Amino acid sequence: MSLGHCIRSKRKSLNLTLQQLASKIDADAGNLSRIERGELGVSESLLRKIAAALATTPASLYAESDATPRQLNEQAPTYIVNQTESVSSINANTSAKDFVQWFRSATPYIHAFGGRTFVIAFGGEVVSDQQFISLSHDLNLLASLEVRLVLVHGSRPQIEKRLKRDNITPLLHNGLRVTDDAAMEAVKEANGAIRVEIEALLSMGIANSPMAGADIRVASGNFVTAKPLGVHDGVDLQHTGEVRKVDAIGIQKRLDDNEMVLLSPLGYSPTGEAFNLSLEDVAVSTAIALDADKLIFLMDSEGVHNLRGELLREMTAEKAKNLLRNVRETEQAINISEDVTYYLPAAVRACEQGVARTHMISRHIDGAIIQELFTLDGIGTMVTELSLESMRQANIDDVGGILKLIEPLENDGILVRRGRERLEMEIDHFHVMEHDNRIIGCAALYPFESEKTAEFACLAIDPAYRGGGRGDKLFYYCANVAKERGLKSLFCLTTRTEHWFLERGFTEQSVEKLPTEKQKLYNFQRKSKVFSKTL
């Protein structure tokens, strides 16, 4: 029985019409009808709403059906594997071809992530809002790719709930919880409960579900040594502490045994005391101690926005510090959410102490981790110590990447055609721009030493990275290289981009002004215009 038929059967057993069910979950009745007929896919978030309205659970619906949903992300297609058809698209707007293309584009990341250590931190809201089920599917996928995972959970809403239950007024000082004896009991209870719930969800192995055959083993323990924060501004924070040391060797042993390590925001002292810690402190300290490749924060907002409200896909630690400084100096930082003010300083600290990359993404997007890690642009904000873009002299290994950039321009007649053999022979004249170890731009300098000039040629930027001034950066980089070689001018030949060169200080010249050797090679059929610029 398909998943759609199970939903239909359950709905009819409750004497609900399609319209009534649609009204309950605020969905379109026509789409629900197509889901039941198997013509349209159902996302994890919608399936949870349907299950709640039908007084059941997604796991129960999976168990009754023969469907295996494998939703990789909201932009890639979703597929179901069943007895009648090996792979059928359940997203009306996508196709098998789109899926193959996306999966191939993810291949470099799959190769890069195997054996790497990721620390993933999320607040207690992920569990209380029942978002951990879909998150566990993504964690299972990463584990299957041999990613070494350390999870750090928060527990704020669970603690608040228990304090309210016990009629205890929460005490805060400068954003830090004052953890007295009564509050510490609530902290212990909340962390114990949430840890058990997470371990239970990670232990799922329901047949025909994304967790089928997962066999995830979870390790937790006293890996974090803490010390008290003490007295701040005359206020004793009591059992509130900070990380003193993380048992990296102990955690590494668990990871070597293919276990997933789960850490609570609790620390222990050599005197036998327990301390309430912040999620970000535990996550950052753990990532630093493990020399983790990635630290990932799941938060309420979609990422970091600048003061104009624009989402910043990438930023260096220095840029992040400047943004935080501007936030402090701006009276109304309306585009900076509260969780960013907690997580961004943590990301800066992590990057400055050796963590390669810190990602800040929304917990509300189903498959957010997969979209962030396995797509070119990601969906949140990535913080790095240094800029991901760099320029350098090309080498023979760059030939394939350069050809990929220039071939479309050659086909359009914008660039003169070069074969691979010629490019390999001239590779020493090329310079490339890289973004995250991927070639996104190239240009060539052909020097004429006797005339103290050089031809600037073959400028190409990946279409996905155009519009950001990268052509200018690559041009001025090449101009500086020419200056360092003692050259006095640059010239270029172009048929389509004369205004680009005019805007950068080039002036049109006659063919007779070209170096003698270049004049002999000039193609009078192509009739390229000649421009030059004094350095």
Side-chain angles (χ1 to χ4, degrees), residues 228-266:
L229 276 173
V231 179
H232 280 216
D233 302 324
V235 178
D236 186 357
L237 298 176
Q238 301 186 47
H239 297 291
T240 299
E242 62 181 344
V243 176
R244 181 177 179 183
K245 184 179 69 173
V246 175
D247 182 9
I249 295 176
I251 294 176
Q252 292 284 13
K253 287 181 178 178
R254 305 307 191 281
L255 296 176
D256 291 340
D257 288 337
N258 297 318
E259 296 181 6
M260 193 180 292
V261 176
L262 176 63
L263 301 179
S264 299
L266 290 172

Side-chain angles (χ1 to χ4, degrees), residues 283-305:
V284 171
S285 299
T286 301
I288 293 171
L290 295 175
D291 192 21
D293 297 278
K294 289 185 181 293
L295 170 61
I296 302 171
F297 286 111
L298 295 173
M299 57 187 196
D300 284 325
S301 56
E302 60 179 336
V304 181
H305 295 79

Side-chain angles (χ1 to χ4, degrees), residues 175-365:
L176 294 172
R177 187 184 299 279
V178 179
T179 314
D180 57 17
D181 291 340
M184 191 62 196
E185 290 304 313
V187 169
K188 291 178 182 178
E189 182 184 343
N191 279 287
I194 195 172
R195 189 168 63 194
V196 168
E197 187 169 355
I198 290 173
E199 290 177 350
L201 293 172
L202 289 174
S203 300
M204 286 194 303
I206 299 173
N208 299 323
S209 80
M211 296 298 289
D215 193 25
I216 294 176
R217 290 182 294 165
V218 184
S220 56
N222 57 340
F223 296 115
V224 179
T225 301
K227 60 182 179 182
L229 276 173
V231 179
H232 280 216
D233 302 324
V235 178
D236 186 357
L237 298 176
Q238 301 186 47
H239 297 291
T240 299
E242 62 181 344
V243 176
R244 181 177 179 183
K245 184 179 69 173
V246 175
D247 182 9
I249 295 176
I251 294 176
Q252 292 284 13
K253 287 181 178 178
R254 305 307 191 281
L255 296 176
D256 291 340
D257 288 337
N258 297 318
E259 296 181 6
M260 193 180 292
V261 176
L262 176 63
L263 301 179
S264 299
L266 290 172
Y268 309 94
S269 72
T271 60
E273 295 179 88
F275 291 97
N276 181 27
L277 309 177
S278 70
L279 162 68
E280 54 269 23
D281 187 17
V282 175
V284 171
S285 299
T286 301
I288 293 171
L290 295 175
D291 192 21
D293 297 278
K294 289 185 181 293
L295 170 61
I296 302 171
F297 286 111
L298 295 173
M299 57 187 196
D300 284 325
S301 56
E302 60 179 336
V304 181
H305 295 79
N306 60 22
L307 297 182
R308 296 187 299 274
E310 301 164 338
L311 178 63
L312 301 172
R313 296 293 187 187
E314 299 171 5
M315 60 192 315
T316 62
E318 189 62 34
K319 185 175 181 180
K321 288 193 289 187
N322 290 337
L323 177 62
L324 290 169
R325 188 182 305 115
N326 291 335
V327 169
R328 289 192 295 269
E329 296 172 356
T330 303
E331 293 183 1
Q332 292 183 335
I334 58 175
N335 296 313
I336 304 298
S337 60
E338 182 180 4
D339 52 355
V340 168
T341 63
Y342 287 111
Y343 292 137
L344 190 54
V348 171
R349 176 189 162 200
C351 289
E352 289 183 336
Q353 297 194 45
V355 178
R357 292 167 191 182
T358 300
H359 301 260
M360 303 170 63
I361 58 180
S362 173
R363 69 182 177 91
H364 299 291
I365 299 175

Side-chain angles (χ1 to χ4, degrees), residues 132-141 201-202 204 211 216:
F132 191 81
I133 295 176
S134 58
L135 176 59
S136 67
H137 299 165
D138 296 343
L139 298 176
N140 180 34
L141 175 60
L201 293 172
L202 289 174
M204 286 194 303
M211 296 298 289
I216 294 176

Side-chain angles (χ1 to χ4, degrees), residues 311-429:
L311 178 63
L312 301 172
R313 296 293 187 187
E314 299 171 5
M315 60 192 315
T316 62
E318 189 62 34
K319 185 175 181 180
K321 288 193 289 187
N322 290 337
L323 177 62
L324 290 169
R325 188 182 305 115
N326 291 335
V327 169
R328 289 192 295 269
E329 296 172 356
T330 303
E331 293 183 1
Q332 292 183 335
I334 58 175
N335 296 313
I336 304 298
S337 60
E338 182 180 4
D339 52 355
V340 168
T341 63
Y342 287 111
Y343 292 137
L344 190 54
V348 171
R349 176 189 162 200
C351 289
E352 289 183 336
Q353 297 194 45
V355 178
R357 292 167 191 182
T358 300
H359 301 260
M360 303 170 63
I361 58 180
S362 173
R363 69 182 177 91
H364 299 291
I365 299 175
D366 190 23
I369 289 180
I370 303 304
Q371 293 187 62
E372 176 70 10
L373 297 181
F374 292 92
T375 59
L376 183 62
D377 296 326
I379 60 166
T381 300
M382 179 169 65
V383 183
T384 60
E385 182 180 6
L386 301 174
S387 174
L388 292 178
E389 289 188 1
S390 61
M391 288 170 285
R392 59 172 175 79
Q393 171 79 45
N395 58 58
I396 196 67
D397 295 329
D398 300 322
V399 170
I402 294 174
L403 281 173
K404 187 176 180 181
L405 286 176
I406 66 177
E407 282 178 346
L409 299 177
E410 291 174 348
N411 294 335
D412 289 341
I414 298 174
L415 295 179
V416 176
R417 189 171 297 278
R418 292 170 173 81
R420 176 179 286 271
E421 184 176 351
R422 179 184 170 187
L423 185 57
E424 290 177 353
M425 293 172 59
E426 298 179 350
I427 194 64
D428 290 340
H429 297 305

Side-chain angles (χ1 to χ4, degrees), residues 429-450:
H429 297 305
F430 276 80
H431 303 270
V432 295
M433 174 183 283
E434 286 186 314
H435 182 279
D436 198 13
N437 299 317
R438 178 175 181 264
I439 295 176
I440 64 168
C442 70
L445 278 178
Y446 294 95
F448 294 83
E449 300 291 349
S450 59

